[in-house]
DNA sequence: GATAAAAATTGATCTAAATCAAGGAATATT
DNA sequence: AATATTCCTTGATTTAGATCAATTTTTATC
């Protein structure tokens, strides 16, 4: 299932990392890009497989995950349209350290390392653009790694909800248009992302709901008390309960 | 305590990320670099402080860590001479997401974002060089974040020992010159790095020693059974004990 | 070399969260 | 619309590893 990239504007121009490049550069990239459809549940690549391409998600939803010998799964991150992955494993010609699976049907663009690397080496703008996005990824990855160790599940969940809120709720301006967020994937995937189990996630969401911090309806979550959420993420549930009852029980 | 960079060869040329740059470029970088001495225990920057510079460790040892409201600490990584940090927080003019503390006396070079960014934007080689090192950092950060969730302490410890072994043991060739590794920092720092406590680390090291996998003398560790270590890191301690007694008790 | 401070060890206890188990939605398939 | 999956929830139980507490060892300072 191969085809040259459908539309330049979809695969290349709309992708953040390629934004701001000159037309001629975009055309070069489009020329070395090929896209394929992937159905929900299909694996784009597996952990351990040799990495020779940069992948860009065109549409749909993906997850990058790791799995232990015992079958425990951790979701490193979700990928939304425009995000790229398989990143610079390809720079060093190594193996993928995670498995990429489609959570929804979608198209994935692929650029082979041998085609991309010369472009990056020649084009400081492109390299700089990659640096910007990768620095943000690195920041998030390291911050989250720390969180998995030093923060308990309540805090990690609060942080995730706040993250989704800042990302989705504020997308049409600097003021939230409403207080609803939508989980990007099934709850078990969310659980595997914040380093817990579906059972524990269910209980924690329940607890937040009982304390009127949120209201859950399937994958839609109404943020009722963002201050309490902030407090939990920062100082923890125990202290919020002791000191800041007003914050929890408004 | 300010001074222009001591020696070009120390601060700049010997730094991996600047390796391979032309003399004229190195000179430019040296010109915008200043270095300062820091004593053991001193803080180079704190989490939350505005980030406006790239830092390069000249000599000594540093740790990048995060701390929770309750005082739990996680070490994101250690920095060895030539490593840089504060990385591209500066690209986005954000705040530091970790605290940098000296674990030994040393010198730190500093390059202000306003001086460095133009250089990167003009010089594709330099940008590419940063991409290479950052991609490796990202890989390690994400891989480790997954490990903190899906792997138990035994596995994480085995992975750390193997990592040190591959880094230190093999440094003078592709064959290990000996089977001794040295922990780069105090055990409590190692514990904070693999996401556990000093108490648990102590017990785990003991256990490995009882099973003749390693031999511990202060910070020096003799790797006696690297195969067992590999097995533990991959399939876990339980299975090693059940199936592979030979591996453990040679 | 003596004293003080910090780090590491060992044992006892506790707890957050995982696991196990069983129903009850929701979603997908025929 | 009925059936089969998959997902989610709720309760009971277990457990890895944290915490607490008390020495001992190591390192630093005088």
């Amino acid at each position: 299932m191969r085809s040259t990239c459908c539309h330049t504007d979809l695969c290349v121009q709309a992708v953040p990392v390629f934004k701001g490049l000159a037309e001629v550069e975009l055309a070069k990239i489009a020329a070395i890009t090929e896209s394929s459809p992937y159905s929900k549940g299909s694996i784009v690549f597996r952990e351990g497989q040799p990495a020779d391409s940069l992948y860009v998600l065109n549409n749909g939803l993906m997850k990058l995950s790791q799995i232990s010998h015992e079958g425990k799964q951790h979701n490193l991150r979700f990928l939304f349209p425009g995000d790229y992955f398989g990143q610079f494993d390809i720079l060093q010609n190594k193996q993928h350290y995670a498995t990429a699976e489609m959570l929804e049907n979608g198209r994935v663009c692929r650029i082979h390392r041998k085609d991309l690397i010369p472009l990056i080496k020649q084009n400081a703008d492109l390299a700089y653009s990659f640096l910007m996005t990768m620095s943000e990824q690195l920041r998030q990855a390291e911050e989250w790694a720390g969180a998995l160790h030093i923060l308990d599940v309540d805090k990690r969940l609060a942080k995730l909800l706040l993250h989704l809120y800042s990302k989705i709720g504020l997308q049409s301006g600097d003021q939230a248009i409403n207080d609803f967020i939508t989980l990007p994937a099934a709850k078990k995937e969310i659980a595997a992302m914040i380093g817990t189990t579906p059972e524990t996630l269910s209980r924690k969401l329940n607890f937040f709901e009982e304390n009127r911090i949120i209201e859950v309806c399937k994958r839609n979550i109404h943020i009722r008390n963002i201050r309490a959420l902030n407090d939990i993420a920062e100082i923890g549930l125990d202290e919020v309960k002791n000191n800041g009852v007003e914050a929890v029980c408004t």
Side-chain angles (χ1 to χ4, degrees), chain A residues 40-221:
Chain A
K40 182 176 173 175
S42 62
I43 304 293
V44 180
F45 56 76
R46 275 186 202 283
E47 194 176 342
Q49 286 178 346
D52 61 0
S53 295
L54 181 86
Y55 296 84
V56 180
L57 183 64
N58 196 316
N59 56 65
L61 179 66
M62 288 195 42
K63 68 168 181 183
L64 276 185
S65 68
Q66 295 184 312
I67 194 161
S68 76
H69 186 258
E70 291 81 11
K72 270 197 185 181
Q73 195 166 4
H74 179 75
N75 290 161
L76 294 175
R77 47 190 156 115
F78 297 123
L79 288 139
F80 300 95
D83 289 341
Y84 66 90
F85 55 99
Q87 65 263 357
F88 288 74
D89 304 350
I90 66 166
L91 281 177
Q92 296 163 342
N93 214 7
K94 288 193 173 177
Q95 298 167 324
H96 290 296
Y97 59 89
T99 296
E101 178 187 334
M102 298 301 286
L103 292 175
E104 293 170 8
N105 295 338
R107 282 194 89 81
V108 177
C109 292
R110 188 173 171 175
I111 308 176
H112 198 277
R113 82 181 239 110
K114 74 168 171 16
D115 297 320
L116 183 62
I117 289 180
L119 277 188
I120 295 174
K121 282 193 170 168
Q122 288 159 23
N123 189 331
D125 283 342
L126 180 57
Y128 186 78
S129 188
F130 269 109
L131 270 182
M132 290 290 282
T133 56
M134 283 191 53
S135 70
E136 182 57 28
Q137 279 176 42
L138 179 57
R139 176 196 190 80
Q140 284 179 12
E142 289 203 316
E143 220 169 343
W144 196 245
L148 287 169
H149 174 203
I150 59 180
L151 306 184
D152 56 25
V153 176
D154 306 292
K155 287 186 178 179
R156 299 202 300 267
L157 176 55
K159 273 195 187 287
L160 178 79
L161 294 176
L162 289 169
H163 175 75
L164 291 174
Y165 182 75
S166 73
K167 206 173 156 191
I168 296 164
L170 306 178
Q171 68 191 173
S172 35
D174 53 33
Q175 186 71 30
I177 46 169
N178 63 48
D179 297 326
F180 280 87
I181 60 178
T182 302
L183 299 179
K187 296 215 180 87
K188 63 169 187 149
E189 302 295 346
I190 302 294
M193 166 131 249
I194 64 173
T196 189
T197 59
E199 292 96 324
T200 297
L201 175 61
S202 182
R203 285 183 250 264
K204 295 298 182 186
L205 284 173
N206 244 320
F207 182 84
F208 283 7
E209 209 165 11
E210 282 161 10
N211 285 85
R212 305 191 184 194
I213 297 167
I214 60 173
E215 211 163 22
V216 182
C217 177
K218 297 187 186 173
R219 285 191 197 171
N220 302 305
I221 295 178

